[in-house]
Amino acid sequence: MAQMIRDFWKNRRLIWKLAKNDFKTRYAGSYFGILWAMVQPVIIVLVYWFVFQIGLNSATAQLKEGISVPFVLWLVSGIVPWFYFSEALSNGTNALLEYNYLVKKVVFNIDILPLVKTIAALFIHAFFVLFMLLLFALYGYLPGLHTLGIIYFSASLLIFVTGLCMLTSALVVFFRDLTQIINIFLQVGIWMTPIMWSLEDLLAKYPILAILKLNPLCYIVYGYRAMLFRTGGLPSLGWMNVYFWVVTALLWVLGSRVFRRLKVHFADVL
């Protein structure tokens, strides 16, 4: 793992250049270009907002200690990090398949390809973070120093999903069905993460559902909301801080080891 991190740092300029190029070429040839990357998530947010706030009459949501906040802010603060995780995992898993022509080049360091994909996904994520801050400002939640905490949680999510992509990108070369499994996982995962519902409300009725807090994305969503609604910070998240970084470290160890063990066979299989 240490060697892979050194490779990332050594090739940081190349990684940044490839990430920007990946983002630009993804929508090359279409009339609206990168606007397509923004349209779909915005439509999804509007659909969820209509269903839950208009259809199910969820005008507000509950934070801890009974604090009520507008439901649209509750929704956006949870779904923005999920959008990044979903895109980064999907694209990062297929990094070696997409860049198979680079994998076959002996002189190219293929270790950086999953990181290229997760960094490329940050460009759209940055747009949605700005959109989210603007929406919060319109509702009276003005950004301040506490808002800088979003950078920490975004970086934490980047590190987590990169470790996960190192594992999945290596395995998908030999097991192509993993792509479909991940798509199903993402469809289910958005409902298993407290994005459109309150975990605290469920715990009051079903304490056993505390197991859902073992979802690492729960830490990220809670962190975004803590920063945006000013309900606390890292200390208030307690054991979730330690748990998240332990899981992330284990993912990096496992992902880097599997990637290094299998990389000698990538060119032959692809």
Side-chain angles (χ1 to χ4, degrees):
M1 185 179 73
Q3 179 60 44
M4 186 167 283
I5 293 175
R6 285 194 292 269
D7 288 343
F8 287 164
W9 177 253
K10 181 180 178 181
N11 294 281
R12 60 189 182 278
R13 295 182 184 276
L14 176 60
I15 291 172
W16 180 248
K17 184 177 181 180
L18 287 174
K20 290 192 295 183
N21 184 68
D22 181 271
F23 177 72
K24 292 177 181 178
T25 57
R26 193 180 310 170
Y27 306 99
S30 60
Y31 286 109
F32 295 101
I34 63 172
L35 286 178
W36 288 116
M38 306 171 188
V39 169
Q40 183 179 1
V42 168
I43 291 177
I44 293 175
V45 169
L46 290 175
V47 169
Y48 286 148
W49 169 79
F50 179 82
V51 170
F52 284 92
Q53 182 162 330
I54 306 300
L56 299 179
N57 197 28
S58 299
T60 61
Q62 296 291 326
L63 289 175
K64 65 179 184 178
E65 301 174 356
I67 302 175
S68 296
V69 297
F71 180 79
V72 65
L73 300 185
W74 170 273
L75 171 64
V76 170
S77 60
I79 207 168
V80 164
W82 176 264
F83 281 152
Y84 170 73
F85 172 75
S86 177
E87 181 181 3
L89 180 57
S90 297
N91 295 336
T93 297
N94 295 313
L96 299 179
L97 301 180
E98 182 176 340
Y99 288 104
N100 62 81
Y101 58 93
L102 293 178
V103 175
K104 298 174 184 179
K105 290 184 177 294
V106 179
V107 296
F108 188 82
N109 186 358
I110 63 175
D111 296 14
I112 69 175
L113 292 178
L115 181 58
V116 168
K117 285 294 188 180
T118 56
I119 290 180
L122 279 177
F123 293 107
I124 293 298
H125 180 63
F127 164 79
F128 279 107
V129 167
L130 294 176
F131 169 77
M132 178 175 61
L133 293 178
L134 175 61
L135 187 61
F136 268 75
L138 292 176
Y139 275 83
Y141 294 88
L142 299 178
L145 291 178
H146 61 281
T147 312
L148 296 177
I150 295 296
I151 299 176
Y152 163 77
F153 286 103
S154 295
S156 301
L157 185 54
L158 167 67
I159 296 170
F160 171 78
V161 76
T162 300
L164 182 57
C165 285
M166 284 191 293
L167 176 63
T168 58
S169 63
L171 295 177
V172 78
V173 173
F174 304 92
F175 182 58
R176 301 298 175 91
D177 292 345
L178 182 60
T179 300
Q180 304 304 323
I181 293 174
I182 287 177
N183 289 336
I184 295 174
F185 162 76
L186 292 174
Q187 291 176 9
V188 175
I190 191 173
W191 298 103
M192 299 299 291
T193 306
I195 295 173
M196 289 161 279
W197 47 273
S198 172
L199 181 55
E200 282 66 30
D201 290 345
L202 286 181
L203 291 180
K205 300 178 181 178
Y206 311 103
I208 193 174
L209 292 181
I211 193 174
L212 293 177
K213 286 191 175 183
L214 296 180
N215 177 359
L217 268 295
C218 193
Y219 170 74
I220 300 297
V221 171
Y222 274 45
Y224 267 66
R225 287 173 176 159
M227 297 300 107
L228 292 167
F229 291 113
R230 307 185 191 185
T231 59
L234 294 179
S236 65
L237 293 174
W239 65 271
M240 296 178 71
N241 292 299
V242 178
Y243 172 77
F244 175 84
W245 287 111
V246 168
V247 171
T248 300
L250 291 176
L251 266 179
W252 269 74
V253 171
L254 179 61
S256 59
R257 175 165 295 188
V258 170
F259 196 98
R260 287 296 176 110
R261 289 285 182 88
L262 297 180
K263 67 183 293 186
V264 296
H265 305 291
F266 290 159
D268 296 332
V269 175
L270 293 173

